[in-house]
């Protein structure tokens, strides 16, 4: 049986920034905000309902911040989170997002240019592996290594949409 | 979201007929994640269910216990003078034998007038994840976006002042982001 909680739907609160995708990364909720499609923003630590104003004293205290990415790699199209780390997908790049704490909060390292998630949420995480669609075909990223899994007949019959 | 994708996860090269290219099409990427898109359910179990008499597009994702799902769906409104009005709703659903019934509605944006172009009345993005609030209570965090261009941008049409719409963007006509706790 699932150990997940049962949701009743009561107690809705609002105010979070509009977003294209979201993910749980450790004690944070990370979103790709609609206000800047080339960035991610994360909540206060330990509280998915608390989104303090960026760069405010409250944000620094609660480790809430954001990260901008180079626009040449396209918009942010997916966030695949785990307990401490995440992959942030742009249309043509992949970033490793690692929790550091302190004033830095998260560090970001781009380890792939060219292959990315070419449309919003065209990926699925299975344990430590994340399968995704790029403009070239199907791939899997694991341990910051990208592998082409559709080489041959699959990619030949693949049409990006 | 409604496009065809290959069933590569179930592909068996040793059993494949290379004279015939793969033709099986399943939305495996999202099915594996539990995200099931339904577009214009004008026939079948969903449309027949009394909960969804005017639903034109819906996506659901498994969450919680048993047969619980969180879904985002569009409901057709009326044809207004400057376009077509739709409601975007997000809520908790219960599934039984392919039918979805509404358990609780989290939030909604109603009476949004959008263009009547045929490509506009679709949910462009829907995502959710689980987290906790400051008390440690579980939280479901969600976001939903309808592609399209709003014909009007009046804030007075927003049903709940706690959230707002993506105004005049050429994509992301209507957007809900929020959370629900136990």
């Amino acid at each position: 049986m699932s150990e997940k909680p049962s949701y009743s739907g009561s107690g809705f609160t609002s105010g979070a920034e509009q977003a294209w995708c979201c993910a749980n990364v450790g004690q944070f909720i990370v979103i790709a905000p609609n206000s800047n499609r080339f960035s991610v923003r994360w909540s206060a630590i330990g509280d998915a309902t608390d989104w303090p104003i960026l760069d405010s004293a409250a944000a620094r205290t609660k480790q809430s911040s954001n990260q901008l990415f180079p626009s040449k790699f396209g918009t942010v199209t997916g966030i695949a989170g785990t307990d401490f780390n995440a992959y942030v997908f742009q249309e043509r790049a992949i970033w490793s997002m690692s929790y550091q704490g302190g004033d830095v909060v998260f560090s970001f390292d781009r380890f792939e240019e060219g292959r990315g998630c070419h449309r919003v949420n065209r990926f699925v995480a299975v344990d430590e592996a994340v399968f995704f669609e790029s403009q070239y075909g199907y791939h899997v990223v694991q341990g910051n290594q990208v592998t082409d899994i559709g080489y041959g007949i699959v990619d030949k019959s693949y049409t990006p949409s | 979201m409604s496009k065809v994708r290959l069933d590569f996860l179930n592909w068996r090269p040793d059993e494949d007929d290379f004279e015939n290219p793969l033709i099986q099409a399943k939305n495996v990427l999202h099915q594996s994640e539990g995200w099931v898109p339904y577009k214009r359910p004008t026939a079948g179990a969903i449309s027949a269910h009394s909960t969804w008499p005017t639903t034109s597009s819906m996506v659901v994702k498994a969450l919680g216990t048993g047969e619980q799902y969180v879904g985002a769906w569009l409901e057709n409104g009326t044809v207004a003078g400057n376009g077509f009005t739709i409601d975007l709703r997000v809520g908790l659903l219960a599934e039984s034998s392919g039918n979805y019934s509404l358990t609780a509605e989290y939030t909604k944006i109603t009476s949004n007038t959008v263009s009547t172009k045929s490509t506009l009345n679709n949910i462009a993005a829907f995502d959710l994840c689980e987290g906790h609030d400051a008390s440690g209570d579980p939280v479901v965090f969600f976001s939903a976006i309808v592609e399209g261009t709003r014909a009007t941008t009046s804030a007075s049409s927003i049903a709940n002042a706690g959230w707002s719409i993506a105004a005049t963007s050429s994509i992301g006509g209507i957007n809900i982001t929020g959370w629900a706790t136990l």
Side-chain angles (χ1 to χ4, degrees):
Chain A
M1 293 294 291
S2 171
E3 296 179 352
K4 294 179 179 179
S6 175
Y7 289 97
S8 64
S10 63
F12 173 76
T13 349
S14 57
E17 189 173 4
Q18 300 165 352
W20 280 80
C21 51
C22 57
N24 183 311
V25 183
Q27 298 185 70
F28 301 85
I29 298 295
V30 183
I31 63 173
N34 190 51
S35 60
N36 187 337
R37 298 292 307 281
F38 307 100
S39 71
V40 295
R41 182 184 175 185
W42 54 92
S43 68
I45 186 169
D47 190 355
T49 69
D50 189 0
W51 295 80
I53 298 173
L54 287 173
D55 299 324
S56 65
R60 283 189 286 274
T61 301
K62 300 173 181 177
Q63 298 189 18
S64 177
S65 188
N66 68 336
Q67 175 70 38
L68 305 179
F69 300 107
S71 58
K72 66 179 181 179
F73 298 117
T75 60
V76 173
T77 51
I79 307 165
T82 61
D83 287 344
F84 298 99
N85 306 305
Y87 291 121
V88 176
F89 292 92
Q90 290 182 267
E91 294 173 83
R92 295 176 294 278
I94 309 174
W95 298 74
S96 173
M97 177 181 181
S98 305
Y99 181 69
Q100 302 295 329
D103 292 335
V104 176
V105 189
F106 285 103
S107 64
F108 293 84
D109 299 297
R110 185 178 66 244
F111 61 90
E112 172 63 28
E113 296 181 14
R115 292 168 294 189
C117 187
H118 76 127
R119 291 288 184 272
V120 173
N121 275 340
R122 295 276 180 92
F123 72 90
V124 58
V126 181
D127 294 330
E128 298 301 316
V130 179
F131 299 84
F132 66 98
E133 282 183 6
S134 78
Q135 60 183 319
Y136 307 110
Y138 294 103
H139 320 277
V140 60
V141 55
Q142 187 170 21
N144 291 3
Q145 296 291 321
V146 180
T147 305
D148 298 331
I149 59 173
Y151 183 77
I153 189 171
V154 172
D155 283 350
K156 286 180 180 177
S157 56
Y158 166 80
T159 303
S161 57
Chain B
M1 199 158 52
S2 59
K3 302 295 184 183
V4 170
R5 276 177 282 279
L6 293 170
D7 187 17
F8 73 91
L9 291 178
N10 296 320
W11 178 47
R12 291 288 303 275
D14 54 327
E15 296 179 356
D16 195 24
D17 178 2
F18 285 87
E19 296 301 319
N20 297 300
L22 290 172
I23 56 173
Q24 186 178 12
K26 290 182 179 179
N27 197 356
V28 291
L29 287 183
H30 292 149
Q31 284 183 342
S32 300
E33 201 178 19
W35 176 7
V36 185
Y38 291 94
K39 183 181 180 182
R40 296 190 182 283
T42 55
I46 298 173
S47 63
H49 197 280
S50 59
T51 304
W52 319 105
T54 59
T55 297
S56 62
S57 180
M58 181 169 75
V59 290
V60 298
K61 190 172 183 179
L63 192 75
T65 60
E67 309 301 329
Q68 286 191 322
Y69 289 78
V70 171
W73 64 97
L74 299 180
E75 290 190 7
N76 293 337
T78 58
V79 177
N82 54 354
F84 187 70
T85 64
I86 59 171
D87 299 344
L88 172 61
R89 299 168 183 260
V90 176
L92 185 69
L93 313 173
E95 188 271 341
S96 177
S97 302
N99 282 324
Y100 290 90
S101 58
L102 182 62
T103 302
E105 187 172 72
Y106 293 155
T107 186
K108 62 184 176 183
I109 297 179
T110 60
S111 302
N112 289 277
T113 304
V114 298
S115 168
T116 54
K117 291 181 180 179
S118 60
T119 57
L120 296 182
N121 296 333
N122 294 308
I123 296 176
F126 172 62
D127 204 5
L128 61 91
C129 61
E130 297 176 73
H132 293 84
D133 63 15
S135 301
D137 293 327
V139 170
V140 52
F141 189 96
F142 55 81
S143 64
I145 289 182
V146 175
E147 61 182 348
T149 304
R150 278 178 54 85
T152 61
T153 57
S154 170
S156 63
S157 65
I158 303 171
N160 188 324
W163 20 266
S164 59
I165 55 172
T168 55
S169 172
S170 60
I171 56 175
I174 305 170
N175 186 332
I176 290 177
T177 299
W179 52 86
T181 57
L182 284 174

